[in-house]
Amino acid sequence: MDFSHYTFFKVERAGKVLNITLNNPEKLNAFSEAGHREMSRIFTDAAEDDDSDLIVVTGAGRAFTAGGDLEYMQKLRDEPKLMHRTIREAKRIAFSLLDCDKPIICKVNGDAIGLGTTLALFSDIVFAVDTARFGDPHNNVGLIAGDGGGLMLPQFIGYARAKHYMFTGDLIKAPEAAQMGLIYASVPADQLDAAVDAYVQRLLKMPVQSLRWTKATVNIGLRQLAHSMMDAGMAYEMIAGQTQDHQEAINAFREKRKPRFTHE
C-alpha cells in the first residue's frame, strides 16, 4: 500500500509494524480540514496493507493532538455542505478504527484532546506519557461529542463518570486515566518508546490471525453501538454547530478570552 499521498500523517515502516504519526507539530497536530479527511481514510488503507501486521499511532512534537483546528471549526459553521461531508468522514473514522482487524497501539506522547481522545479510545492498546491529558471538551465550545466520545467513554469508565467529564470538559491526567481503566498504561516520558516497542515485539510473536479474530470478536458490541449512535450524535453536533454559543466559543478562542455564553 502506498501512503505517499498523505500529508497530515507521516507513515513509516519498521518490519511488520506500520508507524502512523500525526505530523503537524506547529499546531499541536490539531486537525485541519485536510487532516480530518485523511484520517477518514488512513485506517482503511492500513487495514489493507499487506506488508504490516501491527499499527502504532503517535504524534509529532509535544502533543498527541489538540483536537480541532480553530479555522476549521469556523469553516464548518460557515459552510453547511462541508459539515455534511465532515459528518460522513467522522463516521468513517470511527468505523474504520473498529473494523480494522490489525491491533492498533496508540502511543500518546502528549495531550490528547477532543478527537485525540476519540482516536486513542477507538484504538486497542493505549500507552501514554504520564504528563499527557485526555478530555472531550466539545460541550465547552457549544458542541456535543458526536464523533465518538459519547460512545466510548461510558464503556470504559461508566456512565456516571463519563457524563461528568463530557458535561464539564475536565481533563484526565494519564496516571488517573490508567487507574480508572480509560487507557492501558501511563509511563514516564523516557520510558514511553521502550514500553511500546516491547509490547509491539510481544504481539509480533503471537499468531497473526488469532489476534485479528480476537479483536474482531471483542469489537462486535462496539461496532453495533457505533452504528446505533453515530447518526444521532453527529446530527446533534451539526445542529449545535449553528448555535450562537458555538460561534461565541470560536470568537473567545481567537481573542484569547473566556466565552460569554448566551445559552442560545
Side-chain angles (χ1 to χ4, degrees):
M1 183 68 67
D2 181 13
F3 294 90
S4 62
H5 58 288
Y6 286 96
T7 58
F8 182 83
F9 294 93
K10 180 173 68 175
V11 181
E12 300 173 308
R13 300 182 185 278
K16 284 291 189 177
V17 179
L18 193 68
N19 291 294
I20 298 176
T21 303
L22 285 66
N23 194 32
N24 187 18
E26 295 80 9
K27 291 192 173 183
L28 301 179
N29 302 319
F31 280 92
S32 62
E33 178 182 349
H36 195 270
R37 188 182 311 164
E38 287 187 8
M39 187 159 157
S40 73
R41 300 169 181 171
I42 194 165
F43 291 102
T44 299
D45 285 348
E48 297 300 324
D49 179 51
D50 292 333
D51 296 321
S52 60
D53 292 330
L54 287 174
I55 301 166
V56 175
V57 184
T58 193
R62 60 189 178 92
F64 183 65
T65 173
D69 176 77
L70 182 64
E71 297 310 316
Y72 182 34
M73 284 194 287
Q74 183 68 66
K75 192 174 181 181
L76 287 172
R77 177 178 169 80
D78 295 341
E79 300 181 21
K81 285 186 178 181
L82 176 59
M83 185 61 180
H84 298 163
R85 190 186 75 200
T86 298
I87 287 173
R88 294 196 301 271
E89 292 172 356
K91 290 192 288 186
R92 284 202 300 268
I93 289 169
F95 299 145
S96 66
L97 284 160
L98 293 175
D99 289 339
C100 176
D101 59 358
K102 297 175 183 177
I104 301 173
I105 313 301
C106 199
K107 182 167 68 174
V108 178
N109 58 300
D111 285 352
I113 309 300
L115 187 53
T117 289
T118 296
L119 173 55
L121 298 187
F122 274 80
S123 300
D124 301 305
I125 302 293
V126 180
F127 286 84
V129 64
D130 57 9
T131 55
R133 298 174 299 172
F134 297 84
D136 200 324
H138 277 77
N139 200 46
N140 292 12
V141 295
L143 295 174
I144 77 154
D147 63 354
L151 186 156
M152 298 299 278
L153 275 171
Q155 311 312 309
F156 286 94
I157 62 175
Y159 282 87
R161 280 190 294 191
K163 287 177 183 178
H164 162 73
Y165 287 111
M166 292 171 64
F167 287 170
T168 65
D170 284 355
L171 302 181
I172 308 169
K173 294 180 180 179
E176 184 183 359
Q179 186 176 26
M180 68 173 62
L182 190 66
I183 64 174
Y184 174 66
S186 169
V187 298
D190 60 357
Q191 299 177 25
L192 181 62
D193 288 342
V196 172
D197 289 346
Y199 196 89
V200 165
Q201 292 306 313
R202 181 179 180 183
L203 290 190
L204 287 173
K205 296 175 183 177
M206 303 292 290
V208 171
Q209 291 301 333
S210 64
L211 279 178
R212 294 186 180 191
W213 293 329
T214 296
K215 175 178 177 176
T217 302
V218 172
N219 276 5
I220 287 174
L222 293 174
R223 293 202 304 269
Q224 292 172 336
L225 195 60
H227 280 282
S228 70
M229 290 180 62
M230 288 288 289
D231 283 336
M234 293 310 302
Y236 278 125
E237 185 156 350
M238 181 173 68
I239 296 170
Q242 295 302 308
T243 62
Q244 290 304 312
D245 277 344
H246 178 53
Q247 182 63 66
E248 166 60 14
I250 294 174
N251 295 343
F253 270 112
R254 187 177 288 122
E255 297 164 11
K256 302 185 186 304
R257 60 173 175 82
K258 290 185 177 181
R260 297 184 290 270
F261 294 127
T262 59
H263 311 295
E264 296 180 4

